[in-house]
């Protein structure tokens, strides 16, 4: 249920992020409500994996990652019993690919990118390969 909601809501989130570099709160609220239902039915992951996820998200916050991106990553990491480092590796790889494509098209390195497509495609790739 949560996977389908993430992938379906990922489409308008990616479109909004690509156009405005902002993820509207309405999408994160909808995902939060679905995540709450998911957590009520399935529970949380282990405490060690939650602490790792929280520390990684705090580090990303220090590096000035967008709050919408952090909220979506937090919802994914809390609702799925997946490796935070593995998922973030996929997201990082896709973000680098996104930067390379934009650099090739515009002939200059972009000052910022929309990270939502990298998050959702990285999540889908991770889920498909496990």
């Amino acid at each position: 249920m949560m996977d389908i909601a993430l992938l379906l809501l990922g489409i308008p989130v990616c479109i909004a992020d690509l156009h405005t570099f902002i993820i509207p709160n309405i999408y994160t609220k909808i995902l939060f409500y679905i995540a709450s239902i998911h957590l009520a039915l399935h529970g949380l992951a282990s405490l060690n994996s939650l602490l790792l996820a929280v520390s990684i998200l705090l580090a990303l916050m220090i590096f000035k990652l967008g709050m919408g991106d952090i909220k979506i990553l937090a919802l994914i990491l809390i609702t799925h019993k997946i490796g935070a480092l593995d998922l973030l590796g996929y997201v990082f790889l896709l973000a680098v690919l996104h930067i390379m494509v934009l650099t090739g098209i515009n002939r200059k390195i972009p000052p910022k990118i929309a990270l939502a497509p990298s998050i959702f495609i990285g999540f889908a790739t991770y889920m498909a390969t496990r």
Side-chain angles (χ1 to χ4, degrees):
M1 177 175 86
M2 188 66 193
D3 296 340
I4 294 170
L6 277 168
L7 295 176
L8 286 179
L9 279 174
I11 295 167
V13 168
C14 290
I15 291 169
D17 197 22
L18 285 168
H19 287 290
T20 63
F21 296 107
I22 295 172
I23 297 173
N25 281 334
I26 186 68
Y27 299 122
T28 54
K29 286 179 185 178
I30 293 170
L31 282 173
F32 174 75
Y33 296 139
I34 296 169
S36 298
I37 294 168
H38 179 82
L39 289 175
L41 296 174
H42 300 286
L44 286 170
S46 69
L47 184 61
N48 288 339
S49 62
L50 286 176
L51 288 176
L52 177 65
V54 168
S55 60
I56 289 172
L57 291 172
L58 287 174
L60 291 174
M61 212 162 54
I62 291 171
F63 287 119
K64 305 281 185 192
L65 191 70
M67 284 307 295
D69 300 321
I70 289 176
K71 289 179 209 175
I72 289 175
L73 281 171
L75 287 172
I76 291 172
L77 292 173
I78 289 173
T79 56
H80 291 80
K81 294 169 176 58
I82 60 178
L85 293 175
D86 294 337
L87 175 66
L88 291 176
Y90 281 107
V91 171
F92 177 74
L93 181 67
L94 286 162
V96 169
L97 183 65
H98 188 183
I99 290 170
M100 289 172 51
V101 167
L102 289 177
T103 302
I105 291 171
N106 299 328
R107 303 281 188 232
K108 64 178 183 173
I109 297 174
K112 64 182 182 176
I113 65 166
L115 196 60
S118 299
I119 292 171
F120 286 108
I121 295 170
F123 173 70
T125 304
Y126 179 82
M127 294 305 286
T129 59
R130 70 175 191 130

